[in-house]
Amino acid sequence: MKPLLPSLREKKRYTAFEVIADEALELKSVEESIMGASHGFLGELTMGRAGIQVLPDIWTDNKGLIRVNSPFVGHLKASLALV
């Protein structure tokens, strides 16, 4: 099977976020909260199309990055408001 051409791949966008809390939080709990809120807001099908991923390498001081397909950036922002 041939790989997709770069022009046919889905474009990614990155959204920075910060968790406001008194103590430092673990990435696992933050990721579960984000994914749960996104799943509840978007549903299974749209969640799969959006391709939401919390990037573990960037997590420091309750700040991180989320990768999402470009048409779903607005959906991601709305679901982050529901966390």
Side-chain angles (χ1 to χ4, degrees):
M1 179 177 262
K2 292 173 60 176
L4 286 175
L5 295 172
S7 61
L8 297 176
R9 292 186 192 138
E10 296 174 334
K11 306 297 187 262
K12 303 290 185 189
R13 296 293 178 257
Y14 296 87
T15 303
F17 70 96
E18 179 180 5
V19 178
I20 300 172
D22 294 333
E23 68 276 351
L25 299 174
E26 293 183 18
L27 174 64
K28 181 119 177 111
S29 63
V30 172
E31 184 177 7
E32 288 175 359
S33 298
I34 291 171
M35 291 302 198
S38 299
H39 185 267
F41 180 68
L42 300 175
E44 297 243 355
L45 182 62
T46 310
M47 184 83 172
R49 288 181 184 164
I52 298 172
Q53 288 183 325
V54 179
L55 302 177
D57 302 338
I58 313 296
W59 179 254
T60 53
D61 299 328
N62 288 348
K63 297 178 185 174
L65 282 179
I66 301 174
R67 183 170 66 187
V68 65
N69 289 334
S70 62
F72 298 97
V73 173
H75 294 81
L76 172 67
K77 290 178 182 178
S79 63
L80 283 176
L82 300 174
V83 173

